[in-house]
Amino acid sequence: MSDESVSVQQRAGWRALPRNVWAASLTSFFMDVSSEMVINILPLFLANVLGARIGVIGLIEGIAEATASLMKVFSGWLSDRLRARKWLAVAGYGISTLAKPFFYVANSWTTVMAARWGDRVGKMRTAPRDALIADSIDEGQRGLAFGFHRAADTGGAVLGLVIAFLVVWTTQSTALKLGRGTFRMVVLFSLIPAVLAVLSLAIGAREVPIKGRRRAPSLSLKGFGTPFKVLLLIVCIFELGNSSDAFLVLRAQERGLSVLSVLGMLIAFNLVYALLSGPAGAWSDRIGRRRIIVGGWIAYSLIYLGFALAGAGWQVWGLFSLYGVYYGLTFGTTKALVADIVRPAQRGTAYGVYNATLGLLDFPASLIAGVLWQGVGRWKGFGPSAPFAFGAMLALIAALLMALWLPRLRSMAESSSA
């Protein structure tokens, strides 16, 4: 594509995005309305209603994300092998929708873990969906497309949290602790947008012919170039300190915030995330992906250090709002970078491996966070500040490595795509 045509597309902005990007974005919007209503208050339900310990909550989140990771790898590889993306993604959204009613009947943390596991099996949708977006857009708008998708996804999270806020506000006379009846009401409301998410992708998206020679894809990293492997290595370092956001919700309650205050905090976080995702993606099209990612990781390090030092609920509230800066800068941008440095016929597998790396490391990261916070056995741990200090340190190391590798990674990416 010529520089002139890329420039014209960039000026056209989100209005010129193709049908599949809109369909995937609408689907993610509806599913996040559904998921964020439930998932963000799930740690409070486990702790307040079912009496689960912090370590158990970390175990549930770790197993759930590990399951999601394995599904992402397999579904991404399968989409490359079948050279088809859409219906694998639709199936994943359908499975997550079918799992949600089991949260309603949960009376023990083991039932919650089973429902969370089923919901995460549905994450088989992620790699085929991301590959469908990448296949549907030209390189000059790739950052914008993924940024727009993240903005729609996060806009759904805002709406979902607003609905959850209203349900808690109208069903509880006091919102210091989450009640069973309130949680079940939220789960019931979450089913409607989940069904709309499945229908949006099934009806709105179309398969796109995959460019490149047809070859049997491999689940190993041997077929990928050095840039992708280097990116994975650095991401591994970062993710080991990036425990489940459930710990941030628990930190907020530990610092004295009520359920309503926590939901308001999450709404503010997602607003920042949604508003920044689109512009950050467009900036990455102009100034490069890695600079945006490095900036996001540095912001994460500073914010996590703030969580470690926070002494009052309002400080956690403000920091969590700023936490949306990290998400907005990095999530869509990193997915665009993956598409930049792998061949089109490998994108499904690449997104599966990348997303699996995030999820698989969430298990040890969440387990480490739980142990650092509360200890294990006779060891009492270091207290609530410890997991956030640990995460801040690893994020800074990862940002420095990405910055040092920036010129070399760029040249390798250019040579591999030549």
Side-chain angles (χ1 to χ4, degrees):
M1 180 181 294
S2 67
D3 292 340
E4 182 178 354
S5 62
V6 170
S7 177
V8 170
Q9 283 190 338
Q10 288 175 338
R11 287 197 299 270
W14 57 268
R15 293 183 299 275
L17 293 174
R19 171 177 176 158
N20 279 354
V21 175
W22 282 92
S25 299
L26 183 62
T27 296
S28 292
F29 172 84
F30 282 127
M31 186 52 77
D32 248 44
V33 172
S34 175
S35 296
E36 297 298 319
M37 290 173 66
V38 177
I39 299 305
N40 282 299
I41 62 173
L42 189 60
L44 302 180
F45 175 69
L46 284 164
N48 299 341
V49 177
L50 301 182
R53 290 171 56 85
I54 300 296
V56 168
I57 296 173
L59 177 67
I60 291 172
E61 289 299 311
I63 290 175
E65 293 307 323
T67 299
S69 300
L70 296 175
M71 296 307 302
K72 290 170 187 176
V73 172
F74 174 73
S75 64
W77 169 82
L78 187 60
S79 76
D80 284 341
R81 187 172 183 83
L82 298 176
R83 299 178 75 83
R85 320 288 195 193
K86 172 183 171 179
W87 290 108
L88 284 172
V90 172
Y93 282 106
I95 291 170
S96 289
T97 299
L98 292 174
K100 291 187 184 300
F102 291 95
F103 288 114
Y104 182 88
V105 300
N107 288 313
S108 66
W109 67 261
T110 54
T111 307
V112 170
M113 183 168 65
R116 189 84 168 99
W117 177 84
D119 175 63
R120 294 296 87 179
V121 169
K123 292 298 282 186
M124 62 179 284
R125 65 186 179 257
T126 303
R129 182 204 64 208
D130 290 345
L132 180 65
I133 294 173
D135 292 342
S136 304
I137 197 73
D138 292 318
E139 182 179 354
Q141 279 192 305
R142 192 171 288 150
L144 175 62
F146 279 103
F148 179 79
H149 173 259
R150 295 310 305 173
D153 182 287
T154 312
V158 172
L159 180 57
L161 287 164
V162 169
I163 295 172
F165 181 95
L166 292 175
V167 171
V168 172
W169 183 52
T170 56
T171 58
Q172 291 191 220
S173 59
T174 173
L176 295 177
K177 298 290 184 180
L178 184 70
R180 185 187 300 272
T182 297
F183 178 76
R184 286 180 169 177
M185 184 68 70
V186 171
V187 172
L188 285 178
F189 276 107
S190 75
L191 296 177
I192 299 172
V195 173
L196 291 176
V198 177
L199 294 176
S200 296
L201 194 64
I203 297 171
R206 296 172 177 171
E207 289 287 5
V208 177
I210 299 175
K211 300 176 182 178
R213 290 182 296 171
R214 189 183 185 97
R215 64 177 69 180
S218 171
L219 277 172
S220 72
L221 291 176
K222 291 181 179 179
F224 293 101
T226 303
F228 182 68
K229 295 175 184 177
V230 170
L231 177 64
L232 279 182
L233 176 62
I234 298 174
V235 165
C236 284
I237 294 171
F238 174 83
E239 287 297 324
L240 195 59
N242 185 21
S243 57
S244 170
D245 287 349
F247 289 97
L248 297 177
V249 174
L250 294 170
R251 177 64 161 163
Q253 189 174 67
E254 185 265 340
R255 293 287 88 180
L257 293 183
S258 68
V259 176
L260 285 176
S261 296
V262 168
L263 289 172
M265 174 187 75
L266 292 168
I267 291 169
F269 154 74
N270 280 286
L271 277 173
V272 174
Y273 182 6
L275 292 173
L276 189 56
S277 291
W283 295 337
S284 77
D285 288 332
R286 294 193 294 269
I287 68 173
R289 321 281 190 215
R290 298 158 203 78
R291 289 187 176 90
I292 302 294
I293 294 169
V294 169
W297 285 354
I298 291 174
Y300 177 99
S301 180
L302 294 174
I303 292 166
Y304 252 52
L305 182 60
F307 281 125
L309 300 175
W314 67 266
Q315 294 171 347
V316 176
W317 204 102
L319 286 165
F320 206 108
S321 301
L322 292 176
Y323 189 46
V325 172
Y326 148 69
Y327 272 90
L329 289 175
T330 61
F331 266 51
T333 304
T334 308
K335 290 189 175 182
L337 176 59
V338 170
D340 292 343
I341 59 179
V342 300
R343 294 190 298 271
Q346 290 181 303
R347 282 175 181 157
T349 306
Y351 280 120
V353 171
Y354 168 74
N355 287 308
T357 299
L358 303 187
L360 284 173
L361 286 173
D362 194 59
F363 180 76
S366 296
L367 195 59
I368 290 170
V371 171
L372 288 174
W373 181 320
Q374 198 172 54
V376 60
R378 294 184 178 180
W379 187 55
K380 301 301 182 182
F382 294 105
S385 297
F388 306 109
F390 179 71
M393 178 186 67
L394 289 190
L396 183 59
I397 292 172
L400 290 172
L401 287 174
M402 181 69 87
L404 291 173
W405 271 87
L406 178 59
R408 182 172 174 78
L409 191 58
R410 184 193 297 114
S411 64
M412 288 189 296
E414 290 171 351
S415 64
S416 65
S417 62

